Amino acid sequence: MRIKLCQGVLSVLGRQVQPSCQKTCLETLRILSRDKRVLGPVATREGMLILGGLARLNPGEEGDENQKNGQEDTQSEEEERVVVEALKCLCNVVYNSPAAQQVCVDVQLAHGLCAILHTARTWHHEVGLFTLRLVFLLSALRPDVRGVFRRELHAVRLLTEVLEFTLDVSWVGPYEAAPPDPQALPMPAEDNERTMEALKALFNLTLSDTGGEEDDHQFRIIAAILRHLLMLKTETEDKTEEAHSHAINLLNNLPVSCLDVLIDVPVQGGLEMYSGKNLDAIQMLIDFMAKRMDKGSNYKEGLTPVLSLLTEGSRHHREIRRFIKAQVLPPLKDVKIRPEIGTSTRNKLVRLMTHVDMGVKQTAAEFLFVLCKESVDNLLKYTGYGNAAGLLVARGLLAGGRGETQYSDDEDSDTEEYKSAKPFINPITGHVEEPMPNPIEEMTEEQKEYEAQKLVNMFDKLSRQNVIRPMGVMPDGTLAPLEETLCDPPDDSGSDSD
């Protein structure tokens, strides 16, 4: 019955009827289009052409001028509601039907969407919102359409212009936007909604590898706009955080060489101790990271993007690394408490190094490792060997050493408190432990030998049952089965094998 209703509604929409009738039919179709089982009549060339025509996308027609002129025609409020409802229907149908997605490719719906993007300065809120959402859905569900959007239709530039207009960006330099007025009102909710849809669409279009001077210029403009967005506030704190989250996701897609735009703002100026760089945007990212850690859930989607961004920024930009390290890993003073215990940012990140989610723990460990200039000794100083073992195994650095990235030669200075406590720090736990009584102190030699043999037998039994597998460290710092490490002769023949 629902399929028949879909067919009937489409047949009415295919005729010349009053806007009030079109609106009611489209509202009905919008509800029906949530059900994947009844989309057969809609997910056809005829059905998509009808919806596209009502949305003023004019799919299947050649030339952009007609589409642009169609947008410039004055519309009554009821006619505008028809356009909005048609766009909503298209969003539902494209999302729920692979057949409809193929029809969109066949009728070149992307061309109509980009024609509407050209008119962003004149569109009404919902027309813009659902146009951007349709661009997002089509580019997310059809990777082949991303290339059309990007190479043929220059959608990255069009979406950047949408962002620039929506956020009211005023340029004071090649890649520097004027700072927001501290007394200005928060960004209106409607502008924020359109901004987030544009960011999501841009995220899809920048997923593939990029190159060329034109792309680099465009990405630097995007980075400057995103820096401006990070400085803005919306009507609620939750919406501000959501907008910043989308900005961070997009920044992760940009080449790391473009991240200097976040700190190079000559007109606004910066801090002398950081070579004149402005670290306000980096501070916003650090604050965002702290909020996401405090939530205590959804670390994979909520926290790892900002950690990845800060990691890459720190790896390639010395001033960013120094600024972040001063806050995240300040010089150690109190080493009586384990590094994972406490409420500081360092404590929280060290706890994440042993998180159950592999992606979360690897990202947190890599972030701290880069802040330590990829020095194993520096990392162990802040985290302890036990917390860092996973990263060191993955990197083949169990025997110590450094990562592959070259860093500046500036040395980290230890506090007097740390220097005096250093000989007493347990390298495994990373803190000074209270003296413990020696459990074998009062044993006779026979008892010690008995306990040692008992332990050997237990390990042997577990090993034979494949419950555990004894491992050793190879000369290159990687782990290997113990029998292999024992068979491989060490470089120094005079030293005992461990």
Side-chain angles (χ1 to χ4, degrees):
M1 289 178 66
R2 290 186 180 186
I3 292 173
K4 287 182 179 179
L5 180 56
C6 269
Q7 290 172 329
V9 167
L10 273 176
S11 66
V12 173
L13 290 172
R15 302 197 296 265
Q16 292 293 328
V17 293
Q18 291 297 316
S20 59
C21 178
Q22 291 175 327
K23 175 174 169 288
T24 303
C25 287
L26 287 167
E27 287 172 343
T28 305
L29 189 59
R30 171 166 54 84
I31 295 169
L32 290 170
S33 63
R34 297 169 185 166
D35 187 348
K36 297 180 181 181
R37 299 168 298 176
V38 302
L39 290 178
V42 189
T44 60
R45 184 181 180 88
E46 181 186 4
M48 296 299 285
L49 286 174
I50 290 172
L51 289 178
L54 291 169
R56 302 293 178 95
L57 298 177
N58 299 329
E61 295 183 11
E62 292 295 327
D64 290 342
E65 288 303 317
N66 292 335
Q67 296 163 350
K68 292 180 185 178
N69 293 337
Q71 283 297 308
E72 292 167 3
D73 292 341
T74 56
Q75 294 178 2
S76 68
E77 188 174 337
E78 205 160 40
E79 288 172 332
E80 187 186 318
R81 290 309 309 169
V82 169
V83 174
V84 171
E85 288 297 329
L87 285 168
K88 288 180 179 178
C89 287
L90 282 169
C91 288
N92 283 355
V93 173
V94 168
Y95 178 70
N96 285 316
S97 171
Q101 296 161 22
Q102 182 59 49
V103 174
C104 287
V105 176
D106 296 339
V107 301
Q108 297 185 328
L109 193 72
H111 291 69
L113 288 168
C114 285
I116 294 185
L117 292 181
H118 277 287
T119 66
R121 293 178 182 272
T122 61
W123 64 24
H124 295 281
H125 167 62
E126 285 194 301
V127 173
L129 179 68
F130 291 104
T131 299
L132 291 168
R133 185 164 297 171
L134 194 49
V135 174
F136 162 68
L137 289 171
L138 203 52
S139 58
L141 298 168
R142 290 295 300 238
D144 54 329
V145 178
R146 287 180 210 155
V148 175
F149 270 126
R150 182 163 177 172
R151 290 187 294 273
E152 295 181 26
L153 302 175
H154 308 292
V156 172
R157 177 178 57 80
L158 293 174
L159 288 167
T160 304
E161 290 171 359
V162 169
L163 278 178
E164 190 176 338
F165 168 71
T166 306
L167 297 174
D168 194 22
V169 175
S170 298
W171 298 104
V172 295
Y175 303 113
E176 182 178 355
D181 183 357
Q183 307 300 322
L185 294 172
M187 192 192 339
E190 291 185 349
D191 288 354
N192 189 42
E193 286 181 349
R194 294 199 307 278
T195 295
M196 289 193 287
E197 290 298 331
L199 290 172
K200 285 154 58 179
L202 273 170
F203 177 84
N204 290 341
L205 299 185
T206 54
L207 276 173
S208 58
D209 292 335
T210 58
E213 289 184 13
E214 186 178 346
D215 279 342
D216 186 66
H217 169 69
Q218 192 64 52
F219 291 148
R220 286 179 171 274
I221 291 176
I222 293 172
I225 293 173
L226 295 178
R227 184 191 188 282
H228 179 73
L229 175 58
L230 289 172
M231 299 293 111
L232 293 176
K233 294 189 181 299
T234 64
E235 294 179 347
T236 67
E237 191 172 332
D238 286 347
K239 286 296 181 183
T240 300
E241 190 174 325
E242 187 180 357
H244 289 178
S245 177
H246 289 302
I248 288 165
N249 290 339
L250 180 52
L251 279 168
N252 270 305
N253 278 2
L254 302 184
V256 71
S257 59
C258 295
L259 295 184
D260 63 338
V261 173
L262 298 179
I263 57 177
D264 283 337
V265 282
V267 176
Q268 295 180 46
L271 301 171
E272 284 188 24
M273 63 184 298
Y274 294 106
S275 307
K277 305 298 184 184
N278 187 304
L279 282 304
D280 291 347
I282 306 303
Q283 184 62 58
M284 294 298 295
L285 294 174
I286 294 173
D287 294 342
F288 180 91
M289 175 189 71
K291 286 180 187 176
R292 288 297 170 96
M293 282 197 295
D294 289 341
K295 284 190 174 181
S297 61
N298 195 26
Y299 286 138
K300 182 134 184 113
E301 295 178 3
L303 179 62
T304 54
V306 68
L307 283 178
S308 297
L309 179 61
L310 292 174
T311 300
E312 291 308 307
S314 298
R315 198 193 306 273
H316 293 89
H317 299 281
R318 176 174 176 265
E319 292 79 11
I320 293 178
R321 177 181 55 78
R322 288 178 56 224
F323 181 76
I324 296 173
K325 185 178 180 183
Q327 298 188 52
V328 175
L329 297 178
L332 288 174
K333 293 183 179 180
D334 185 3
V335 288
K336 294 180 180 178
I337 302 173
R338 294 171 71 108
E340 68 269 23
I341 296 175
T343 57
S344 71
T345 303
R346 168 190 163 227
N347 301 142
K348 295 170 185 175
L349 286 166
V350 173
R351 284 198 291 273
L352 290 177
M353 293 176 77
T354 54
H355 195 273
V356 293
D357 187 293
M358 186 65 71
V360 173
K361 82 180 205 177
Q362 287 177 343
T363 308
E366 188 72 15
F367 176 50
L368 292 175
F369 192 44
V370 168
L371 291 185
C372 294
K373 296 189 288 189
E374 299 190 24
S375 163
V376 172
D377 290 341
N378 281 345
L379 180 68
L380 297 183
K381 179 172 77 174
Y382 287 102
T383 68
Y385 196 91
N387 292 311
L391 172 79
L392 300 181
V393 169
R395 286 292 205 106
L397 292 171
L398 280 171
R402 283 185 174 272
E404 297 176 356
T405 308
Q406 297 296 319
Y407 293 89
S408 59
D409 294 331
D410 53 302
E411 293 295 328
D412 298 316
S413 56
D414 293 329
T415 62
E416 291 301 322
E417 294 92 332
Y418 177 78
K419 288 178 181 177
S420 61
K422 186 175 180 180
F424 309 102
I425 294 175
N426 182 331
I428 302 299
T429 61
H431 80 302
V432 177
E433 295 180 334
E434 293 293 329
M436 300 287 289
N438 188 346
I440 66 172
E441 190 173 356
E442 297 181 0
M443 287 185 181
T444 64
E445 291 302 317
E446 290 79 8
Q447 287 175 316
K448 292 177 184 177
E449 189 173 341
Y450 171 77
E451 292 295 336
Q453 189 59 48
K454 183 178 174 183
L455 187 60
V456 169
N457 292 337
M458 290 168 64
F459 273 116
D460 182 60
K461 182 179 179 182
L462 291 172
S463 178
R464 291 178 186 278
Q465 294 175 350
N466 289 324
V467 176
I468 63 171
R469 189 177 189 187
M471 306 289 282
V473 181
M474 299 289 282
D476 62 358
T478 58
L479 280 178
L482 187 60
E483 56 269 21
E484 292 183 20
T485 61
L486 293 175
C487 292
D488 189 20
D491 293 335
D492 185 1
S493 57
S495 61
D496 295 329
S497 180
D498 199 4

